Amino acid sequence: MTANYDIAVIGAGFAGLACARRAAQRGLSVVVLERKTEPGERIHTTGILVREAWEEWAAPSALVRRISRVRVYTPSHRFVELNGDRYFFMATDTARLMRHLVKETRRSGAEVRFGERFQGVGPPGNGPPGNGPSGNGLPENGLSLRDSGVACRFLVGADGARSRVAESFGLDCNRRLLKGVEWEFEPLSSAGDCLHCFIDSKYAPGYIGWVVPGVAATQVGLAVHRHRRADMPGFIRRIDPLFGLSGKRVLEKRGGVIPIGGLLRNFHGDDVVLIGDSAGMVSPLTAGGIHNAYRFGRLAGDAVTDYLESGGPHPGQVIRRAYTRPRWKHAARWGYDHLPVARALDAGLVTWGMFRRLAGAVFFDRMR
């Protein structure tokens, strides 16, 4: 038996849930298919919300911890401290946050199914027969999803940096990736209330290391070029004099990939659009993607609704017009990848005033 929906969203992450929630609020029938067996399973993100993300979709106070200061360290552990005045970050209990977002999405009227992997479109006989392009078994008024009993008028791919939706529809895939690894330690008072970021080309080639005083845990992580090894034991030994991590209990370990190439050129087709990490909607500098996931997930929900219900422009066109691509960020990313930034800092080739300005602009460009 095939169930018919206006929209099927693949992936119950930040972007997919924001899209599904908005489309359901607008009155469409929406189903979300997620391969994980439950919300919050196998988290792959640090889960830090910038202020704009918090304002986009606030979470209960028990799930977050406000952070207003940032320390950015050179390899010798000299640092500048940034205070954004009214700007802030929110560390999150990400697993519980995802469960909360799923509840709110369901409350909006969307159906969210777990343990359902996207298997592609077709074959014939999987849904109502029709005259889809290339004879690929599409139902008459949309798409039939293989082995799911779902037919839809429009498909949204929000299934991560290595999107099966993108592969299935011949859309662009993310090629420029960072590899992130994070260990959660028992809470440490030594981390204070700062977000600690480490520029260190030995342990964090391509990005940074970090220590986050989170919710009921201290998060310690590295992001590196995808072909480099993330030496977490070495990094922990390196920063142990600052935080006293040795002997502390590790509660959880996780990892994942982060796209840093920017919005993909070919991220949508006739009845499909990619959003979130699937579409490369991640800052090439900060590697932050939750705010874009919320913002463009909601925008996609509106755009798909307008497209289906009133003949509005294709959602991909709406998203492309709204998505800015600051050239300076990509130029700065090139410089960080190819120039000896860390060595220049410790050699005094970059003044502290310049370092402070660079840190504020490169890592936390929203701060003014």
Side-chain angles (χ1 to χ4, degrees):
M1 187 69 179
T2 299
N4 294 282
Y5 298 87
D6 293 314
I7 303 177
V9 179
I10 309 303
F14 295 104
L17 293 175
C19 176
R21 179 176 181 242
R22 183 57 178 165
Q25 289 172 339
R26 292 283 304 274
L28 295 194
S29 58
V30 183
V31 63
V32 181
L33 305 182
E34 168 57 55
R35 63 184 178 86
K36 296 178 183 178
T37 59
E38 61 182 5
E41 179 186 31
R42 300 195 310 276
I43 294 297
H44 298 299
T45 174
T46 300
I48 293 179
L49 305 178
V50 296
R51 185 189 67 186
E52 293 86 349
W54 167 258
E55 292 171 346
E56 189 82 38
W57 194 349
S61 58
L63 306 184
V64 297
R65 178 177 179 178
R66 182 172 173 136
I67 298 174
S68 298
R69 295 183 297 137
V70 179
R71 286 184 180 177
V72 184
Y73 296 78
T74 72
S76 63
H77 292 169
R78 299 171 68 199
F79 66 84
V80 296
E81 185 167 297
L82 308 172
N83 189 319
D85 297 324
R86 292 185 298 275
Y87 200 87
F88 59 87
F89 303 84
M90 288 289 191
T92 67
D93 183 330
T94 313
R96 292 174 62 198
L97 174 61
M98 297 311 302
R99 290 193 285 270
H100 168 75
L101 298 182
V102 168
K103 288 180 181 179
E104 292 216 329
T105 302
R106 284 172 169 160
R107 191 175 297 123
S108 74
E111 181 181 348
V112 186
R113 302 185 190 177
F114 287 88
E116 298 214 18
R117 184 183 296 270
F118 175 71
Q119 302 288 0
V121 175
N126 190 55
N131 300 310
S134 306
N136 59 3
L138 300 182
E140 185 172 1
N141 295 314
L143 306 171
S144 176
L145 306 189
R146 183 184 294 126
D147 299 334
S148 67
V150 167
C152 63
R153 299 167 64 194
F154 201 93
L155 184 69
V156 176
D159 53 335
R162 292 170 171 159
S163 170
R164 290 177 60 88
V165 174
E167 182 180 357
S168 178
F169 282 84
L171 303 176
D172 286 351
C173 297
N174 292 290
R175 302 299 181 192
R176 296 188 62 198
L177 301 167
L178 295 176
K179 177 170 57 179
V181 178
E182 185 172 84
W183 292 5
E184 278 197 354
F185 286 81
E186 57 189 318
L188 301 173
S189 59
S190 55
D193 61 352
C194 281
L195 172 60
H196 303 267
C197 300
F198 294 83
I199 300 173
D200 192 322
S201 58
K202 178 180 179 180
Y203 291 105
Y207 189 48
I208 58 172
W210 62 87
V211 175
V212 179
V215 180
T218 298
Q219 299 162 240
V220 181
L222 287 173
V224 304
H225 285 304
R226 61 181 298 189
H227 300 301
R228 299 289 294 271
R229 185 175 71 92
D231 182 7
M232 280 295 291
F235 178 61
I236 289 168
R237 288 193 298 271
R238 181 84 174 96
I239 64 174
D240 187 61
L242 300 176
F243 301 102
L245 292 166
S246 59
K248 299 298 182 180
R249 186 162 55 99
V250 177
L251 306 177
E252 186 177 346
K253 297 180 180 181
R254 53 176 168 253
V257 295
I258 309 163
I260 56 168
L263 182 66
L264 299 174
R265 288 184 178 274
N266 182 26
F267 70 95
H268 61 89
D270 289 344
D271 299 304
V272 61
V273 68
L274 305 177
I275 58 174
D277 284 13
S278 301
M281 293 178 175
V282 176
S283 168
L285 287 181
T286 66
I290 298 178
H291 175 225
N292 278 343
Y294 281 168
R295 179 189 171 196
F296 288 97
R298 176 176 53 82
L299 180 64
D302 278 328
V304 174
T305 303
D306 293 341
Y307 178 69
L308 294 179
E309 298 299 287
S310 57
H314 191 282
Q317 297 173 358
V318 175
I319 291 170
R320 190 182 297 280
R321 285 197 299 266
Y323 197 93
T324 58
R325 299 168 61 95
R327 292 183 179 181
W328 75 269
K329 289 188 178 182
H330 291 275
R333 161 52 60 183
W334 184 93
Y336 192 73
D337 286 341
H338 295 88
L339 301 177
V341 176
R343 291 199 299 273
L345 288 171
D346 271 342
L349 300 179
V350 177
T351 67
W352 279 103
M354 185 182 298
F355 180 31
R356 175 178 293 276
R357 290 192 297 272
L358 288 172
V362 172
F363 293 103
F364 310 101
D365 62 298
R366 298 174 181 83
M367 294 174 64
R368 295 293 183 264

